[in-house]
Amino acid sequence: LVENKKPWTLDELYKLPQVKQVTRHICVEGWSAIGSWTGTPLRDFLKLVGADTRAKYVWFQCADKDGYNSPLDMRTALHPQTQMPFKFAAQILPRAYGFPMKIRVPTKLGFKTPKYVLSMEVTNDYKGGYWEDQGYNSFSGS
């Protein structure tokens, strides 16, 4: 449910307007950490590609595990803090943190922060997700 379905190169993504935010990552395992992330707000990118923001979900396909994927409800995707970060601590996003791109969702638990994003899809179909299919709640946040 996107008007402009063109593939994006990493260089093109890096040229998008970016903002810095300092937010806390809260892991479902009980630990947390504060970090400085720089990237494009997801809502700005969705607007740029002509996404139908009345759709229910944005679904991410990732490269970190076989078949790893993760859904976000549209309200969360449009939240001002939900971000497509390309940098951590003012450096290109390290591989351990999701290079080339991850989705930062400070309003959710860490497992709702997909890393190594290859593609995203705007859809009304709930397609499950790696953790959700193992019994984790898809909402998991504030």
Side-chain angles (χ1 to χ4, degrees):
L1 300 172
V2 173
E3 289 176 13
N4 182 352
K5 296 177 178 147
K6 83 170 205 75
W8 286 75
T9 67
L10 196 52
D11 286 338
E12 290 172 320
L13 291 171
Y14 284 168
K15 291 176 184 173
L16 294 174
Q18 298 182 30
V19 296
K20 177 181 168 185
Q21 61 177 283
V22 176
T23 54
R24 179 182 304 269
H25 175 93
I26 301 173
C27 183
V28 71
E29 295 172 339
W31 61 268
S32 69
I34 296 174
S36 174
W37 305 89
T38 303
T40 300
L42 181 57
R43 69 181 181 176
D44 293 354
F45 183 75
L46 292 171
K47 181 179 179 181
L48 180 66
V49 299
D52 181 351
T53 56
R54 297 168 298 173
K56 293 180 182 178
Y57 306 102
V58 181
W59 190 77
F60 301 93
Q61 185 65 49
C62 305
D64 59 341
K65 297 179 182 173
D66 287 337
Y68 187 90
N69 51 62
S70 183
L72 272 185
D73 61 280
M74 185 59 76
R75 183 172 183 230
T76 299
L78 296 174
H79 189 281
Q81 287 184 306
T82 302
Q83 182 186 52
M84 300 166 38
F86 307 113
K87 293 181 180 178
F88 176 77
Q91 302 293 318
I92 294 295
L93 194 64
R95 182 173 298 276
Y97 290 178
F99 178 86
M101 185 184 77
K102 70 184 298 169
I103 304 297
R104 278 286 300 134
V105 188
T107 60
K108 303 288 183 193
L109 292 174
F111 78 90
K112 294 301 296 177
T113 300
K115 300 189 301 186
Y116 317 111
V117 174
L118 297 174
S119 66
M120 65 179 77
E121 178 182 344
V122 176
T123 181
N124 283 316
D125 300 325
Y126 182 77
K127 298 180 177 212
Y130 180 84
W131 291 110
E132 293 80 1
D133 293 349
Q134 296 182 55
Y136 286 77
N137 183 303
S138 188
F139 183 70
S140 294
S142 57

